[in-house]
Amino acid sequence: MKFTSTRYPQLVVHDLEVTFVDGEAEVTDKATIEALRGLPPDVGVRAAGGRPVRDAEAR
């Protein structure tokens, strides 16, 4: 899943071993994804995408 950091484009989250490059980071670990989603809004980190919704899930 891709995350963006508009406020801090070179953000490094040492505890999660995530480094943003030009405001973007690709994260595959589920625990890390959840931890990034839990960051305070003032940090400016947001999920930018994920898997497309499957037809069965959309119904």
Side-chain angles (χ1 to χ4, degrees):
M1 172 174 263
K2 186 181 286 187
F3 282 84
T4 61
S5 175
T6 54
R7 188 166 199 172
Y8 304 104
Q10 304 306 321
L11 179 67
V12 177
V13 185
H14 291 283
D15 293 351
L16 301 176
E17 298 180 5
V18 175
T19 301
F20 287 80
V21 177
D22 296 329
E24 296 184 351
E26 187 69 36
V27 180
T28 57
D29 180 67
K30 288 183 179 186
T32 304
I33 290 169
E34 292 304 315
L36 286 173
R37 286 181 174 163
L39 290 175
D42 60 326
V43 176
V45 172
R46 295 178 184 215
R51 280 189 252 159
V53 177
R54 293 187 332 201
D55 288 342
E57 293 175 355
R59 294 177 190 175

